[in-house]
Amino acid sequence: MNPKITVAVASRILRQLKRDHRTVALMLVVPCVLITLLWWMYVDREAVFDRVGGPLLALFPFIVMFLVTSVTTLSERTSGTLERLLAMPMGRLDFLCGYAIAFGLVAVVQSMLVAGLAVGVLGLDVRGSVITLGLVAIVDALLGTALGLFVSAFARTEFQAVQFMPALVIPQLLLCGLFIPRDGLPQVLEWVSDALPMSYAVDAMNIVTRSTDWTGNLTKDLAIVAAWTFGALALGAVTLRRRTA
Amino acid sequence: MMKKDVGGVIRVTGLRVARSGRTVLDGLDLVLNAVEVTGLLGPSGCGKSTLLRSLVGVQQVQAGQVQVLGEPAGSASTRAQVGYVTQTPSVYDNLTVAENLRFFAAVLGAPHGDVDRVLSQVDLGNEATHLVSALSGGQRNRVSLAVALLGQPTVLVLDEPTVGLDPVLRRDLWGLFHCLAADGAAVVVSSHVMDEAERCDRLLLMREGQLIADETPAGLLARTGTADVEDAFLQLVEQRTPLTRSQS
């Protein structure tokens, strides 16, 4: 791995993104609109907003980064630029880490905006520190990026890539504890929920919103999400093949 | 072991490649030399791109060997030494020409002045600040070519780099290929347009995964008794004139 190349990849992705005003607007504005919509729905039931708001702060960075990464990596695969890069002295980790850094930075901005709006304007009750909240959001975003990189290997078109979202993300969304507390799920589904990374992303965010301290459970949840992220990146690295058929 | 300074910059022996169950190349042998512009000509689908991809080391091969600068094709140590242009331009549409070149130069570790050098080599100095998406197809091809020239590679593998270019530009690019070869590079250029053949030092004619000729353009015309390469190709296909090699 070569840090210069990694940085070159990351700054190139950010430069491309800067040109794409519409995507940037969708990434930054849509989560803000959604959280405002949620606040409005529960404007007379603050407790519900407080309960659901936290998990959503975990879900937005995950979902947005999953989508953006899977589609951009796929276009890198189909346009021939990935093949060209792999024919150059670029390590696969340089490529993956470049993506992770670039989208990680975007996730920071996105999370700060949404969290700032939710806490500062809409009155979401967050007991933990804003820094911890930002950190959890970044880890969630990196998980989305890593999974997006991985699934892009299994899609041939952007249309297929987008379909991975309902296939892989929505089941996690249903089982992550947002609709029913995870321990209230039927036993088998609880086991499934225990195996899925988004459950831990949401658990971590719930701890931040409900507790002022950094707890051992928070460390454990973040460690599990990070382990999934590294696992997905490693699998993603396997799918970046220099030689193709 | 002393590294022998052999003419063969690229050595292909018994190369066999199958793509989606179809054999594209079956036992191909080839030696490519420095200081030479080799033209790989043949109809679409004859296996030109597959052969070039094998030289660069991005093609899965079933059997045989491809050695580039004494290492297996695609080795980490030789990757910076091989410039490769794919048939469709592989550059980023939403970056400017200069941004594309600066990015690839950073990946290659090429010196700073290289971007300006390759821009003038492909005659895109005036378009440096234009977005690639705003360029014509021919200009995009040249951006892709410029990327391959970064870092002054000793092997250049160019898959149809002159498609869609106007005749003046095409002539200039062939001039550039010969300059690069004169500086010591091995240059392989594929084309499905037979009239580009006479611009090469050496001609490889390919059909259905087989090399049916390997000699100088003049030698080919003399041997087949034809006036142009297109006729020579037809003659070879119809009369099955045995393959002769100008060099081994």
Side-chain angles (χ1 to χ4, degrees):
Chain A
M1 203 178 136
N2 179 333
K4 269 190 187 163
I5 297 181
T6 312
V7 171
V9 172
S11 57
R12 184 215 86 212
I13 295 163
L14 290 174
R15 185 164 289 131
Q16 285 179 287
L17 207 54
K18 206 176 76 185
R19 288 266 155 64
D20 191 351
H21 299 289
R22 205 170 294 179
T23 298
V24 173
L26 286 170
M27 287 168 86
L28 299 181
V29 176
V30 169
C32 292
V33 172
L34 291 178
I35 198 101
T36 309
L37 178 67
L38 192 79
W39 163 81
W40 197 2
M41 284 163 61
Y42 295 114
V43 71
D44 297 324
R45 296 156 74 192
E46 255 177 52
V48 183
F49 181 60
D50 284 338
R51 185 175 66 77
V52 184
L56 282 183
L57 293 181
L59 297 180
F60 288 150
F62 174 86
I63 293 174
V64 172
M65 293 305 145
F66 177 86
L67 274 176
V68 170
T69 316
S70 57
V71 172
T72 44
T73 327
L74 182 76
S75 77
E76 186 117 41
R77 285 175 200 269
T78 51
S79 72
T81 47
L82 178 66
E83 177 170 292
R84 168 164 243 162
L85 285 171
L86 290 173
M88 288 181 173
M90 186 194 68
R92 294 183 288 187
L93 270 183
D94 293 323
F95 181 83
L96 290 169
C97 293
Y99 264 90
I101 291 171
F103 286 135
L105 287 173
V106 176
V108 174
V109 177
Q110 187 204 48
S111 305
M112 289 298 140
L113 267 179
V114 183
L117 175 71
V119 178
V121 181
L122 306 176
L124 180 73
D125 187 19
V126 173
R127 308 241 167 93
S129 84
V130 180
I131 293 172
T132 318
L133 186 129
L135 181 77
V136 174
I138 292 165
V139 174
D140 295 346
L142 290 177
L143 174 68
T145 296
L147 287 175
L149 278 167
F150 177 59
V151 302
S152 75
F154 302 98
R156 285 193 197 286
T157 62
E158 294 179 3
F159 184 64
Q160 287 179 2
V162 172
Q163 298 306 316
F164 275 109
M165 152 83 182
L168 293 180
V169 177
I170 292 188
Q172 298 197 61
L173 186 76
L174 295 177
L175 299 175
C176 72
L178 186 64
F179 293 91
I180 323 176
R182 297 205 292 122
D183 53 16
L185 287 166
Q187 186 62 62
V188 174
L189 290 183
E190 191 184 338
W191 289 333
V192 175
S193 161
D194 284 346
L196 296 173
M198 199 192 277
S199 309
Y200 299 94
V202 167
D203 284 356
M205 200 54 102
N206 278 332
I207 294 173
V208 179
T209 55
R210 286 171 199 170
S211 132
T212 48
D213 301 322
W214 184 297
T215 66
N217 275 339
L218 179 57
T219 309
K220 186 202 77 187
D221 289 338
L222 283 180
I224 292 172
V225 176
W228 264 90
T229 305
F230 285 116
L233 277 179
L235 287 173
V238 175
T239 67
L240 295 177
R241 297 195 174 276
R242 280 186 206 283
R243 285 179 185 272
T244 49
Chain B
M1 198 179 86
M2 280 250 303
K3 209 166 185 178
K4 263 199 310 177
D5 189 22
V6 288
V9 170
I10 297 180
R11 289 177 173 273
V12 180
T13 39
L15 178 64
R16 194 162 65 76
V17 177
R19 298 184 80 176
S20 18
R22 193 176 68 91
T23 301
V24 183
L25 304 174
D26 196 2
L28 190 135
D29 298 309
L30 180 64
V31 176
L32 294 171
N33 305 311
V35 204
E36 196 169 67
V37 178
T38 306
L40 177 61
L41 276 85
S44 295
C46 72
K48 299 188 297 291
S49 294
T50 304
L51 174 56
L52 296 185
R53 282 168 47 82
S54 307
L55 301 184
V56 179
V58 295
Q59 176 67 52
Q60 278 174 8
V61 304
Q62 273 60 46
Q65 283 196 324
V66 182
Q67 297 265 320
V68 176
L69 302 164
E71 304 280 336
S75 300
S77 55
T78 58
R79 266 185 250 138
Q81 295 297 311
V82 180
Y84 172 42
V85 176
T86 49
Q87 219 162 5
T88 46
S90 39
V91 286
Y92 299 98
D93 274 357
N94 48 3
L95 291 181
T96 67
V97 175
E99 284 168 346
N100 264 290
L101 291 170
R102 280 199 294 269
F103 167 64
F104 285 110
V107 172
L108 283 165
H112 272 296
D114 243 24
V115 170
D116 290 331
R117 179 181 63 83
V118 298
L119 274 174
S120 71
Q121 279 182 322
V122 300
D123 194 23
L124 279 176
N126 294 331
E127 283 79 16
T129 56
H130 295 201
L131 282 178
V132 170
S133 56
L135 300 179
S136 71
Q139 287 172 323
R140 275 183 223 203
N141 275 333
R142 278 186 286 152
V143 180
S144 199
L145 173 62
V147 173
L149 299 176
L150 289 166
Q152 297 191 290
T154 43
V155 177
L156 268 170
V157 178
L158 313 174
D159 201 354
E160 312 234 2
T162 56
V163 171
L165 298 185
D166 86 272
V168 177
L169 211 56
R170 217 156 59 140
R171 182 199 61 201
D172 292 350
L173 282 185
W174 278 98
L176 171 64
F177 301 156
H178 282 284
C179 280
L180 296 165
D183 287 342
V187 184
V188 196
V189 185
S190 78
S191 178
H192 65 270
V193 187
M194 293 289 172
D195 65 3
E196 300 214 285
E198 60 208 49
R199 302 180 195 267
C200 309
D201 299 322
R202 177 182 168 196
L203 259 188
L204 303 170
L205 290 191
M206 198 171 187
R207 184 168 185 267
E208 292 171 359
Q210 304 283 332
L211 291 179
I212 57 171
D214 176 1
E215 54 203 309
T216 61
L220 176 73
L221 298 184
R223 178 164 66 91
T224 53
T226 49
D228 63 49
V229 175
E230 180 122 12
D231 285 342
F233 186 88
L234 287 171
Q235 173 111 1
L236 290 172
V237 171
E238 280 159 10
Q239 302 194 348
R240 308 228 170 263
T241 316
L243 168 64
T244 57
R245 285 176 183 275
S246 59
Q247 45 230 308
S248 53

